Protein backbone atom coordinates (compact mmCIF):
# COMPACT_ATOMS: atom_id res chain seq x y z
CA UNK A 1 0.00 0.00 0.00
CA UNK A 2 2.83 2.40 0.81
CA UNK A 3 4.25 2.06 -2.71
CA UNK A 4 0.82 2.82 -4.22
CA UNK A 5 0.48 5.93 -2.09
CA UNK A 6 3.95 7.21 -3.04
CA UNK A 7 3.21 6.50 -6.71
CA UNK A 8 -0.08 8.43 -6.54
CA UNK A 9 1.65 11.36 -4.84
CA UNK A 10 4.30 11.50 -7.57
CA UNK A 11 1.64 11.40 -10.29
CA UNK A 12 -0.48 14.16 -8.72
CA UNK A 13 2.38 16.36 -7.45
CA UNK A 14 2.45 18.61 -10.56
CA UNK A 15 -1.18 19.55 -9.88
CA UNK A 16 -0.11 21.41 -6.74
CA UNK A 17 0.92 24.31 -8.96
CA UNK A 18 -2.56 24.57 -10.50
CA UNK A 19 -4.68 27.33 -9.01
CA UNK A 20 -7.60 25.93 -7.02
CA UNK A 21 -6.08 22.47 -6.59
CA UNK A 22 -5.16 21.20 -3.15
CA UNK A 23 -3.91 17.73 -2.30
CA UNK A 24 -4.22 16.47 1.26
CA UNK A 25 -3.13 13.29 3.02
CA UNK A 26 -4.95 11.48 5.81
CA UNK A 27 -4.63 8.34 7.90
CA UNK A 28 -8.33 7.54 7.98
CA UNK A 29 -9.44 4.01 7.13
CA UNK A 30 -11.82 4.35 4.21
CA UNK A 31 -14.46 1.87 3.17
CA UNK A 32 -14.85 3.47 -0.24
CA UNK A 33 -13.18 6.09 -2.39
CA UNK A 34 -15.10 9.31 -2.87
CA UNK A 35 -14.36 11.65 -5.77
CA UNK A 36 -16.08 15.00 -5.99
CA UNK A 37 -16.25 17.41 -8.90
CA UNK A 38 -18.65 20.30 -8.34
CA UNK A 39 -22.02 18.73 -7.53
CA UNK A 40 -21.11 15.24 -8.69
CA UNK A 41 -19.89 12.45 -6.45
CA UNK A 42 -18.43 9.18 -7.63
CA UNK A 43 -18.26 6.59 -4.88
CA UNK A 44 -16.11 3.53 -5.58
CA UNK A 45 -17.44 0.87 -3.23
CA UNK A 46 -14.64 -1.28 -1.81
CA UNK A 47 -15.40 -4.98 -1.75
CA UNK A 48 -13.17 -7.58 -0.13
CA UNK A 49 -10.97 -9.46 -2.62
CA UNK A 50 -12.18 -7.23 -5.46
CA UNK A 51 -9.79 -4.81 -7.18
CA UNK A 52 -11.05 -1.22 -7.10
CA UNK A 53 -11.21 -1.15 -10.91
CA UNK A 54 -13.73 -4.01 -10.80
CA UNK A 55 -15.80 -2.73 -7.86
CA UNK A 56 -19.10 -0.90 -8.36
CA UNK A 57 -19.17 2.89 -8.68
CA UNK A 58 -22.18 4.99 -7.67
CA UNK A 59 -22.83 8.37 -9.27
CA UNK A 60 -24.60 10.70 -6.85
CA UNK A 61 -25.64 14.27 -7.52
CA UNK A 62 -24.51 16.22 -4.43
CA UNK A 63 -27.19 18.85 -5.00
CA UNK A 64 -29.88 16.27 -4.31
CA UNK A 65 -31.08 16.52 -0.74
CA UNK A 66 -30.93 12.80 -0.08
CA UNK A 67 -29.54 10.94 2.88
CA UNK A 68 -27.08 9.14 0.55
CA UNK A 69 -25.59 12.38 -0.78
CA UNK A 70 -25.50 13.89 2.71
CA UNK A 71 -23.81 10.81 4.19
CA UNK A 72 -21.01 10.77 1.61
CA UNK A 73 -20.53 14.56 1.67
CA UNK A 74 -20.24 14.47 5.46
CA UNK A 75 -17.72 11.63 5.25
CA UNK A 76 -15.70 13.49 2.64
CA UNK A 77 -15.81 16.76 4.62
CA UNK A 78 -14.73 15.05 7.86
CA UNK A 79 -11.81 13.33 6.14
CA UNK A 80 -10.79 16.53 4.32
CA UNK A 81 -10.90 18.59 7.52
CA UNK A 82 -8.63 16.17 9.39
CA UNK A 83 -6.19 15.76 6.47
CA UNK A 84 -3.00 17.79 6.08
CA UNK A 85 -1.89 19.53 2.88
CA UNK A 86 0.64 17.53 0.84
CA UNK A 87 3.23 20.33 1.02
CA UNK A 88 2.98 20.33 4.81
CA UNK A 89 3.30 16.53 4.93
CA UNK A 90 6.32 16.67 2.63
CA UNK A 91 7.97 19.25 4.90
CA UNK A 92 7.35 17.00 7.91
CA UNK A 93 8.77 13.97 6.09
CA UNK A 94 5.51 11.97 6.23
Amino acid sequence: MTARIHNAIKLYEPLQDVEGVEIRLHRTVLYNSIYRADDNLLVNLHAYATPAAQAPVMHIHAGDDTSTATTYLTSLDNTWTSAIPLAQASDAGT
Side-chain angles (χ1 to χ4, degrees):
M1 184 59 73
T2 302
R4 288 183 185 180
I5 293 167
H6 287 290
N7 187 47
I9 289 170
K10 279 291 177 205
L11 291 170
Y12 288 113
E13 222 167 23
L15 292 175
Q16 289 185 109
D17 298 330
V18 176
E19 187 176 334
V21 173
E22 185 175 352
I23 299 170
R24 294 188 183 189
L25 301 177
H26 64 86
R27 295 184 182 273
T28 307
V29 175
L30 299 177
Y31 301 100
N32 46 61
S33 298
I34 305 169
Y35 304 93
R36 182 174 186 182
D38 298 325
D39 284 338
N40 292 290
L41 292 171
L42 294 176
V43 181
N44 182 228
L45 306 171
H46 296 184
Y48 181 73
T50 304
Q54 295 175 3
V57 175
M58 288 191 308
H59 176 236
I60 302 167
H61 190 266
D64 295 342
D65 190 24
T66 66
S67 60
T68 303
T70 301
T71 298
Y72 284 110
L73 286 169
T74 300
S75 175
L76 184 63
D77 288 342
N78 287 338
T79 302
W80 185 258
T81 300
S82 66
I84 59 172
L86 179 59
Q88 210 175 351
S90 298
D91 292 343
T94 56

